């Protein structure tokens, strides 16, 4: 698996490096994402999420 590092600019804490791959995304990129239902209606946004320690499922 190849890891690629991207850097995001954040006003609060400057440059933050994130290790990501084509199949993985950093949790802080998911948090704050707007969520819509199948009809395109806004449901809210992701504040946090939990990952199963053994299964790895969200």
């Amino acid at each position: 698996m190849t890891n690629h590092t991207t850097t995001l600019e954040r006003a609060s804490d400057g440059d933050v490096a994130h290790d990501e791959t084509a199949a993985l995304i950093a949790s802080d990129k998911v948090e704050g994402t707007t969520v819509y239902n199948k009809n395109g209606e806004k449901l809210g946004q992701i504040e946090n999420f939990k990952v199963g320690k053994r299964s790895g499922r969200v």
Side-chain angles (χ1 to χ4, degrees):
M1 183 182 299
T2 303
N3 287 331
H4 300 281
T5 301
T6 58
T7 302
L8 297 177
E9 181 66 32
R10 291 187 156 193
S12 62
D13 56 0
D15 290 339
V16 180
H18 300 279
D19 291 330
E20 295 184 358
T21 68
L24 301 172
I25 187 167
S27 63
D28 62 341
K29 283 191 171 181
V30 176
E31 294 170 349
T33 300
T34 303
V35 178
Y36 298 89
N37 67 15
K38 291 181 181 182
N39 296 325
E41 299 166 323
K42 182 178 176 181
L43 299 176
Q45 68 182 33
I46 298 172
E47 293 181 10
N48 61 55
F49 60 92
K50 295 177 176 42
V51 179
K53 290 181 181 180
R54 294 184 182 181
S55 70
R57 295 183 66 187
V58 175

